[in-house]
Amino acid sequence: MRTQTLAIVGCGKLANIVVEALDKGLLSDYKLIGTYSRTFEKAQHIANHIQDSGEHCTACSSLEQLLDLKPDYIVETASPAALKALAIPALKNGSSIVTLSIGALADAAFYELVKKTASEHGTRVHIASGAIGGFDVLRTVSLMEESTVTFDTTKGPRPLRKTPVYDEIIETEERQVFEGNAIEAIALFPTQVNVSVAAALASTGPEHVKVTITSVPDYVGDDHRIEIKSKQINAVIDVYSQTAQIAGWSVVNTLRNITSPIAF
C-alpha cells in the first residue's frame, strides 16, 4: 500500500498525540502534509515539528487551503461545529475523515447528507471510539434483535461550570444534572458527550439512547457506562479515563486499523 497523506483539523492536545504516534513510527503508513486550527500558531507549531524531522508540512490559514493539499485522510479533533464545516467539502474533495466530534452526526439531516456525499465520492467517515469502546458489541446486538441502550456518565463539577446545568450546589453535593436522549445531551454539552452520540449511532440511534450525567464533587476524569439489553444479550461497557488522552490514542488506533492487513 502506498503511503497515505494525512492532514489535521484542530491542533490541540489530542492532535499532538497523533503527532507523537507519527514520531514513534506507529503510523508508518501515513505522511502528515497539512495542519489547520482556529489558532494558527497551533497549526504552525505542529507543521514546524514535522518539518524539523525533514518532511514538508503546510500550516494552513483556512480549510480551503487545507483541502487544496488533497489529503487522503483528515483527522478532525476540533469540535462538532468544525466537523459540520469540514465534512461535506472534504468528502467531495476525495478526503476521508477520522473524527472525534461525533456529536455533529446527531443532526439526522446532516448525518444523511454525510452518508450520501461519502457514498457518491468514494470516501468514508471513520468514527474513533474516543473515551469508550464496545462499538462491535453494540452494532452486533442491535443488528441481531430489538434492544435498548443506556449511557450513564459520571464527572466532576469543573467541566460543567460553563454549561446550562451548572449550579454551585454540585461543588459540594452529588447530583444528577441531566437526563434525556443523546440528541438532547449533545445540544446541551457539545464537547462533553460526543461519545454518547457515537454509542447511539452504533446501536439504536441518538433519539432512542437514554443519557444521564451525574456530577460528583472532586471527581477527576470521566466514567462512561453503556448498557445494551435485548432478549438474549445483556452487555455492559464501563470505561473510566482520568484524562482525555485515550481519545487521541483512539484516533491513532483508527488510523492503524484503516491500513492494517488485519483489522479489528
Side-chain angles (χ1 to χ4, degrees):
M1 178 181 289
R2 69 173 179 84
T3 299
Q4 303 294 300
T5 54
L6 185 67
I8 294 176
V9 172
C11 296
K13 292 180 180 179
L14 300 182
N16 277 279
I17 289 173
V18 176
V19 177
E20 179 184 345
L22 286 164
D23 289 344
K24 290 180 175 179
L26 296 174
L27 294 172
S28 57
D29 292 331
Y30 297 89
K31 177 181 179 181
L32 182 60
I33 63 169
T35 58
Y36 171 71
S37 192
R38 185 173 58 181
T39 303
F40 179 76
E41 289 76 16
K42 291 182 178 181
Q44 187 71 68
H45 175 75
I46 290 179
N48 288 344
H49 176 81
I50 297 299
Q51 291 178 158
D52 287 344
S53 66
E55 300 286 346
H56 180 71
C57 183
T58 301
C60 300
S61 56
S62 67
L63 282 177
E64 291 75 18
Q65 185 183 3
L66 187 84
L67 293 178
D68 284 344
L69 299 175
K70 298 286 185 179
D72 295 313
Y73 290 90
I74 298 175
V75 168
E76 181 281 316
T77 64
S79 68
L83 181 60
K84 280 200 166 185
L86 166 71
I88 303 307
L91 295 169
K92 287 181 176 180
N93 195 53
S95 299
S96 291
I97 299 169
V98 178
T99 182
L100 284 172
S101 298
I102 304 97
L105 300 174
D107 179 335
F110 178 66
Y111 178 69
E112 291 302 324
L113 180 59
V114 166
K115 286 202 305 182
K116 181 175 183 290
T117 304
S119 178
E120 289 176 349
H121 292 84
T123 46
R124 304 181 77 188
V125 175
H126 301 269
I127 296 176
S129 58
I132 60 170
F135 286 172
D136 53 344
V137 173
L138 295 171
R139 287 173 63 82
T140 300
V141 175
S142 59
L143 286 171
M144 177 178 167
E145 58 191 5
E146 185 176 341
S147 56
T148 59
V149 178
T150 57
F151 193 104
D152 302 308
T153 290
T154 301
K155 58 173 68 239
R158 184 175 180 179
L160 298 170
R161 286 176 186 165
K162 294 183 179 180
T163 71
V165 303
Y166 181 75
D167 186 311
E168 287 186 358
I169 195 69
I170 67 175
E171 301 288 350
T172 55
E173 293 184 15
E174 179 176 330
R175 289 285 178 93
Q176 180 176 294
V177 296
F178 175 81
E179 181 177 0
N181 64 31
I183 295 173
E184 295 164 336
I186 198 66
L188 274 180
F189 313 98
T191 62
Q192 298 284 340
V193 290
N194 280 285
V195 284
S196 70
V197 177
L201 291 173
S203 56
T204 57
E207 69 275 25
H208 299 300
V209 173
K210 179 184 174 183
V211 178
T212 66
I213 300 175
T214 301
S215 177
V216 177
D218 301 319
Y219 196 87
V220 176
D222 294 297
D223 186 272
H224 301 297
R225 184 184 188 276
I226 309 156
E227 183 170 13
I228 184 166
K229 288 183 178 181
S230 69
K231 182 178 179 180
Q232 300 181 69
I233 305 295
N234 184 9
V236 175
I237 302 113
D238 195 334
V239 181
Y240 168 76
S241 54
Q242 188 176 51
T243 72
Q245 285 198 28
I246 188 174
W249 285 104
S250 78
V251 172
V252 175
N253 181 59
T254 300
L255 288 168
R256 285 170 60 88
N257 211 31
I258 289 170
T259 61
S260 173
I262 299 176
F264 290 92

